[in-house]
Amino acid sequence: MDIEAVRLLAAGLAVGLGAIGPGIGEGIVAGKTMEAMGRNPEISDSIFPKMIVSMAICESTAIYALVVALIILFG
Amino acid sequence: MQEISLQANTIFEIGEIAISTSMLGSAITTLIIILIGLLTVRKARIIPTKAQIIFEGIINAFMDLLVSAYGSKKIARKWAPFYITIFVFLLIANQFAIIPIINSIVTEDGLVFTTPTANFSQPIALTIMVLGIAHFLALAKSPLKHIDNFIKISPFFKIKKPSDFGKAIGTFLMGISDLIAEVAKLVSLSARLFGNVFAGEVMVIVIAGITAYTQYIIPLPFIVLSIFSGLVQAYVFAILSIQFMAGTIKSVEDEPTKDIETAPKLQTENL
C-alpha cells in the first residue's frame, strides 16, 4: 500500500471507530431525557438545555476523532 | 471542488503582522455586532421592539445560569457582560458562512472571507482567554490555596502515624490528575468548537463537490444542520466557560456565598 491509501484508510477508520461510543452515549442521554419529560412534562423547559450541553460533551470524543481525521486528510 | 485547508490564508501584512482570513472574519463579526447593537439601542423603549426582545431574552437566560453557577446575584451581574459577549460573538461568527455573496470572493490564494471559528487559532484564543482569566483571578485572590488545589503537599505536613503516608500520596496524585484535567479542558473546549464548525463547512463542500447535480438543492439539509450545530456550539461554549470559571474561582473561596432569594427555585407545584 502506498502512503496516500494508508492516509485515506486511517482517516476513515478514525472517524468510523471514534463515532461508535458517542453514538451510544448520545442515544442514552436522549432516551433518558425523553423518559424524564414523559414522566414530568412541566420540567421539559429546564431539562432541554441541560440535555443539549450533555450531548455536546458526549459528542466531544467523536469531535476529537474528526479533528484527527481532518488533520490526516488536509493537514 | 473547492480546496479544503486547515491553515488560514494570509491576505495582507501590516508590518510584521500577517492578517489572516480568520482575523478579518473576526473583525467583520465585531463590526456586525456593533451595528446590530447600535440599531437595537437606538430604538430601545419600555415597550420593547422585536430585536430588543431577543437581546433581553438572551440576557435573562444568561442571568439565570450565572446566578445558579456563582450562587450570588451581585457577582453574576458583574460577570454577565463577559459571557454574553462570548455567546453573541460565537453566535454570529459561526453563521458567517451563510452571509450571501461575500463567500464567493476568491483571490489567487483562496477565499478572502471564511468563518473565523473554522480556523483553530480563533477557538484556542478564546479558550486561553477564558481559562487564563479564571486562573489569574484565583491566583490573585489566594495564591497559596489555588496552588494547593493542584500540588497537594499540605497532607504531608499533617502525617501523624505511618498509615497517613499512603493517604497523603493518594491525595498528591489526585492533584496531579487535576492538573492534567486542566490541560484537557483547554483542548476539549477549543477542539469542540473548531471541530463542529469546520466539519459543517467540509460536509457542505464535499456534498457540493460530488457531481455537478448535487450543487444546488442537495446540500441544503447539511447547511441547516451546520447552522443548528453552530447555534448549539455557541451556547455550549458559553455554558462550559461559565462552569469552568465559576468552578475555578469558587475552589479558592472559603465558603460559598449564597443569598436565599436567588437560590435556584424548586419546582414543587403540580408534583
Side-chain angles (χ1 to χ4, degrees), chain B residues 33 55-63 66 76-77 79-91 238 241-242:
Chain B
I33 293 170
F55 276 86
E56 284 177 358
I58 291 175
I59 290 167
N60 278 337
F62 268 86
M63 278 305 289
L66 283 164
R77 188 168 284 276
W79 278 104
F82 178 71
Y83 297 114
I84 294 169
T85 309
I86 289 181
F87 176 68
V88 173
F89 177 79
L90 289 178
L91 201 64
S241 43
I242 289 171

Side-chain angles (χ1 to χ4, degrees), chain B residues 8-265:
Chain B
N9 293 322
T10 305
I11 310 168
F12 56 89
E13 284 177 12
I14 301 173
E16 292 286 300
I17 306 160
I19 303 295
S20 66
T21 51
S22 178
M23 286 165 79
L24 191 70
S26 307
I28 291 170
T29 312
T30 317
L31 282 180
I32 292 172
I33 293 170
I34 292 171
L35 212 67
I36 294 173
L38 283 178
L39 285 176
T40 314
V41 168
R42 202 168 54 101
K43 287 185 188 167
R45 288 179 249 133
I46 306 251
I47 302 161
T49 55
K50 277 174 192 162
Q52 205 182 333
I53 290 173
I54 295 171
F55 276 86
E56 284 177 358
I58 291 175
I59 290 167
N60 278 337
F62 268 86
M63 278 305 289
D64 290 349
L65 285 167
L66 283 164
V67 167
S68 68
Y70 281 96
S72 139
K73 201 161 191 179
K74 210 176 121 205
I75 306 174
R77 188 168 284 276
K78 201 170 87 181
W79 278 104
F82 178 71
Y83 297 114
I84 294 169
T85 309
I86 289 181
F87 176 68
V88 173
F89 177 79
L90 289 178
L91 201 64
I92 294 176
N94 288 351
Q95 308 308 334
F96 204 81
I98 60 169
I99 301 174
I101 300 166
I102 65 168
N103 284 299
S104 320
I105 301 170
V106 180
T107 60
E108 61 264 25
D109 294 333
L111 286 169
V112 180
F113 298 100
T114 55
T115 312
T117 39
N119 294 114
F120 196 55
S121 49
Q122 176 73 48
I124 197 122
L126 277 177
T127 315
I128 288 173
M129 184 180 77
V130 167
L131 292 179
I133 288 174
H135 283 285
F136 178 78
L137 287 176
L139 273 177
K141 195 153 192 169
S142 114
L144 279 177
K145 213 167 181 184
H146 187 56
I147 292 168
D148 192 53
N149 277 337
F150 296 110
I151 301 164
K152 294 181 170 161
I153 43 171
S154 57
F156 284 106
F157 301 120
K158 290 175 191 162
I159 294 172
K160 286 186 183 120
K161 47 185 189 293
S163 66
D164 281 353
F165 193 68
K167 213 183 268 177
I169 286 181
T171 323
F172 182 74
L173 290 177
M174 287 290 281
I176 299 290
S177 79
D178 279 354
L179 210 61
I180 296 165
E182 211 60 33
V183 180
K185 272 181 196 173
L186 182 76
V187 176
S188 73
L189 199 57
S190 52
R192 181 178 301 126
L193 179 61
F194 163 71
N196 271 290
V197 176
F198 189 64
E201 285 202 336
V202 169
M203 182 101 84
V204 173
I205 293 171
V206 167
I207 297 286
I210 296 174
T211 60
Y213 300 107
T214 55
Q215 276 185 17
Y216 299 105
I217 309 213
I218 317 288
L220 267 180
F222 297 97
I223 292 172
V224 172
L225 194 71
S226 77
I227 288 171
F228 178 70
S229 87
L231 295 176
V232 169
Q233 288 312 311
Y235 180 70
V236 165
F237 191 94
I239 299 276
L240 287 180
S241 43
I242 289 171
Q243 298 297 340
F244 289 163
M245 223 158 146
T248 311
I249 292 168
K250 262 186 178 174
S251 69
V252 296
E253 277 172 0
D254 295 325
E255 51 203 47
T257 48
K258 211 180 239 176
D259 28 7
I260 293 139
E261 303 100 309
T262 55
K265 280 172 276 172

Side-chain angles (χ1 to χ4, degrees), chain A residues 40 43 49 52-53 56-57 59-60 63-64 66-67 70-71 74-75, chain B residues 4 6 188 191-192 195-196 198-199 232-233 235-236 239-240 267 271:
Chain A
N40 192 354
I43 56 164
I52 296 281
V53 172
I57 292 169
E59 206 180 52
S60 58
I63 296 297
Y64 301 155
L66 183 77
V67 170
L70 291 174
I71 289 170
F74 308 116
Chain B
I4 303 162
L6 281 172
S188 73
R192 181 178 301 126
N196 271 290
F198 189 64
V232 169
Q233 288 312 311
Y235 180 70
V236 165
I239 299 276
L240 287 180
Q267 302 215 340
L271 274 178

Side-chain angles (χ1 to χ4, degrees), chain A residues 3 11 33 42 47-48 51 54 64 68 74:
Chain A
I3 194 87
T33 314
E42 282 96 33
I47 292 187
F48 190 70
M51 183 196 86
S54 35
Y64 301 155
V68 167
F74 308 116

Side-chain angles (χ1 to χ4, degrees), chain A:
Chain A
M1 275 200 287
D2 59 343
I3 194 87
E4 193 59 31
V6 175
R7 268 171 54 154
L8 291 175
L9 261 179
L13 280 177
V15 175
L17 294 177
I20 294 172
I24 296 169
E26 283 192 28
I28 292 171
V29 170
K32 290 279 177 191
T33 314
M34 297 292 162
E35 213 171 90
M37 282 178 180
R39 282 181 191 202
N40 192 354
E42 282 96 33
I43 56 164
S44 307
D45 290 348
S46 80
I47 292 187
F48 190 70
K50 287 169 194 156
M51 183 196 86
I52 296 281
V53 172
S54 35
M55 269 191 160
I57 292 169
C58 290
E59 206 180 52
S60 58
T61 42
I63 296 297
Y64 301 155
L66 183 77
V67 170
V68 167
L70 291 174
I71 289 170
I72 293 170
L73 277 180
F74 308 116

